[in-house]
Each structure stands twice: as structure tokens, then as C-alpha cells.
Amino acid sequence: MSGDERPDLDHYFMEIARVVASRSTCLRQKVGALIVKDKRILATGYNGAPSGLPHCLEIGCLRKELNVPSGERHELCRAVHAEQNAIIQAAVHGVSIVGGTLYTTHQPCIMCAKMIINAGIKKVVYGRRYADGRGLEFLKEAGIEVVYMPIDGGEEGES
């Protein structure tokens, strides 16, 4: 796309998700997400430690130290995922996201997929593939529209 072309909404919101990811405090993957409804951003989230707790940038990453492959042993990670943080922010501020679209730099994991389904999200647009495909299977089984829009080559980065 040349500099004078106006991006479509999916590309526009995915670019914003990339900027949100820049706030991540994860040592393995920087993930950003936002929830949109009626062309309006309702909430954003990036992956990082729960509020008030030390970040991985400060204390290190247990999953990295133990050589845990991407997509496995989620319970060892101290971070809240970007998709989860976006959903939580909407809840904290009393914003309904039912019927919205979630844009995320990375394919949702199984835990995030379950939250997305129960939050009433109707469409998910993601930019990088994830090692575990169960999240996508759940989303599709729930009737959620799933769109893969590759960013940075689209393949999973170091994790």
C-alpha cells in the first residue's frame, strides 16, 4: 500500500494492535489486542504481569528458564494475555463488548478463546500464528468469524 492510500478498517485496527503490543512487558512475545464495535475502539490490552506485580522485564521469565515450548504450561506464565487484558479493561469500565471484533497481533490461545466466546465477541482478526491450534478450533466451533491477516511474516516469533 502506498503512502496515499487509506487503509481498510481491518488493517487500520491491526496496526493499532501492533502499537498496543509495544507496551508489553513479556520477554518472549509482545502481544497487543483491542476490541472494536461500530468502528470504535472499546478497550485495549497487552500481555504483562497483573497490576502492581513485578514484570518479567524486572524479574525474568520462568517459562524461558525452564525451556517450556510456546503453547504449553500457561499456568507458569505470570503475564495476563493481551486478549484477557482487553476483556478485563472493558469489564472494569462497564463497557459492553458483546458483538464486537477483537484484533490481536497473535492467534488466541485456548484460554483466551474461551474468554472471547463467553464475552460475546463475534469476530477475531489475528496476525501471527500460534503453536497450539485449539483456540482457533474453539472459536470456529462457537461460530465466531476468524480472519488471519499476516503481520511480520505471520509466523510465530521466538517464544
Side-chain angles (χ1 to χ4, degrees):
M1 177 168 62
S2 66
D4 60 345
E5 290 182 33
R6 187 174 183 216
D8 64 41
L9 288 173
D10 282 345
H11 284 91
Y12 170 70
F13 289 125
M14 281 299 286
E15 187 61 30
I16 293 171
R18 287 170 49 128
V19 172
V20 172
S22 70
R23 290 282 303 153
S24 169
T25 59
C26 180
L27 294 171
R28 296 179 94 183
Q29 295 191 68
K30 297 198 175 297
V31 182
L34 59 136
I35 301 170
V36 174
K37 189 172 177 182
D38 299 326
K39 302 180 188 178
R40 303 288 182 253
I41 298 170
L42 302 178
T44 64
Y46 53 86
N47 56 331
S51 297
L53 297 183
H55 293 286
C56 300
L57 291 173
E58 301 163 348
I59 64 171
C61 174
L62 181 59
R63 294 181 77 230
K64 188 173 183 177
E65 291 169 20
L66 297 175
N67 265 339
V68 176
S70 183
E72 297 179 15
R73 304 291 313 271
H74 296 286
E75 74 279 4
L76 295 176
C77 181
R78 73 184 290 104
V80 179
H81 290 187
E83 302 93 329
Q84 295 168 345
N85 270 326
I87 292 168
I88 291 165
Q89 284 306 306
V92 165
H93 295 287
V95 176
S96 174
I97 56 176
V98 172
T101 298
L102 185 136
Y103 292 87
T104 180
T105 57
H106 290 62
Q107 175 184 317
C109 72
I110 186 73
M111 296 182 318
C112 289
K114 292 185 239 182
M115 289 184 69
I116 290 165
I117 293 164
N118 279 2
I121 298 292
K122 294 300 177 200
K123 179 179 176 183
V124 173
V125 180
Y126 71 97
R128 298 189 85 187
R129 296 187 193 275
Y130 185 60
D132 183 359
R134 292 177 303 155
L136 286 184
E137 293 170 15
F138 264 50
L139 294 173
K140 291 174 183 175
E141 184 180 344
I144 294 172
E145 180 184 356
V146 177
V147 177
Y148 173 50
M149 181 177 292
I151 57 174
D152 296 334
E155 295 305 315
E156 181 180 22
E158 276 195 39
S159 57

